[in-house]
Amino acid sequence: MSEKAWNTKLNNDVTVPSFGLGTWLSEPGKVGAAVDVAIRYGYRHVDCAHIYGNEAEVGVALQNLFKEGIVKREDLFITSKLWNTEHSQADVIPALQVTLKNLQLDYVDLYLIHWPQDLPRGVTFAEMKDEHYLGYSEEKIADTWKGMEDAVAKGLTKSIGISNFTIKKIENLLKAAKIVPAVNQIESHPYLQQSKLKEYMDSKGITFEAYSPLGTPGRVAKGENEPYLMDDPVVKEIADKRKCTTAQILISFALHRGVIVIPKSVTPERIKSNYDAQKITLDDDEMKKLYSLEQNFRYLRFFMMKTGQTEADFWDADYDEKVVIDAPDSKRQKS
Ligand SMILES: NC(=O)c1ccc[n+]([C@@H]2O[C@H](COP(=O)([O-])OP(=O)(O)OC[C@H]3O[C@@H](n4cnc5c(N)ncnc54)[C@H](OP(=O)(O)O)[C@@H]3O)[C@@H](O)[C@H]2O)c1
């Protein structure tokens, strides 16, 4: 058992706490308290997004912690994400300024393009119709990336990255990018390890960040007969043997893969026990068992597409399957 926190070094030499707090579906009225409990307990990394609709409350919680002297701004790693309605060079800085105002910060540590999928400006989820799903445009993403690079130059974010990008879409972006994305944030857990994508990203120096590491059980729109990851018998067996929770094993699995992991909770005991997963050292046999659970099962179903489009199209399934890369060792490190 190690008492130390896990860290990851990004391709621009910025160090990120490999474990952070997710805030998607953390309801207004609860998210501030969750951030407060987390940071007092030792969390130094919070994952936010404009579309989560709760950044202002996160901002109030952060200000209180700064005023009380619990942490300083520079002790924290705060991520936010650009929403799909703001995909042009000119849109990025104004959108980031809204996020900074809500979070009451001068800069974020990491700003991500949330999805490689365009939506018309001003259209909300409730209003979305078939004609609003503009799809993926290599040109628009390349133009948006210029705005992300402008945000770095202006000091509004320390690092920039992407989220939900496939190998094909990263290849397209790299043709135009002056700054290589520091991170790609994607769904990952034992049922969806995304090993090929990880190998590809390792070969390009792009850090893999795992969202929904616990199988995202809090969503309303769940698939029928969806497996409950935290009840998986193999995960349970390892947790029982170690007298810890299955959530802790899933978090530890990600850390041992050299992946950044950002489980969400608004429940104080879970926030704390999830953090303590960093103390677990899994052995090779346990890791082998967890790796054997791969079933290419995605919890977060992609829905922002026109009639006739498929998820396989969105995830570039055919193309990504064909890519084979020799990956260097992962950049995982413990400090
Ligand atoms: N870039 C993207 O497109 C994207 C997509 C999805 C997620 N994300 C990010 O990744 C974060 C994590 O993913 P997620 O929120 O989808 O799912 P998750 O972290 O896999 O699961 C969160 C759910 O698990 C519950 N939970 C947390 N700890 C638990 C424990 N120890 N025991 C039992 N249940 C526990 C939470 O409940 P309570 O809160 O009620 O405790 C919540 O319902 C998000 O919050 C967000 O920041 C990004």
Side-chain angles (χ1 to χ4, degrees), residues 33 74 99 118 135 139 158 231 235 265 299 308-309 315 319:
E74 56 271 30
T99 272
D118 302 327
E139 294 70 32
K158 303 272 183 207
D231 275 353
V235 183
S265 180
Y299 283 98
Q309 279 184 319
W315 295 114
Y319 183 89

Side-chain angles (χ1 to χ4, degrees), residues 24 47 163-164 185 212 214 216 264-267 270 274:
W24 179 44
D47 183 74
S163 177
N164 298 300
Q185 187 184 106
S212 304
L214 309 178
T216 187
K264 170 262 178 184
S265 180
V266 292
T267 313
R270 291 174 177 174
N274 290 350

Side-chain angles (χ1 to χ4, degrees), residues 256-281:
H256 282 77
R257 287 184 76 205
V259 163
I260 296 178
V261 62
I262 47 169
K264 170 262 178 184
S265 180
V266 292
T267 313
E269 310 77 61
R270 291 174 177 174
I271 291 172
K272 292 176 188 172
S273 68
N274 290 350
Y275 181 86
D276 290 338
Q278 293 182 91
K279 296 177 190 165
I280 296 169
T281 304

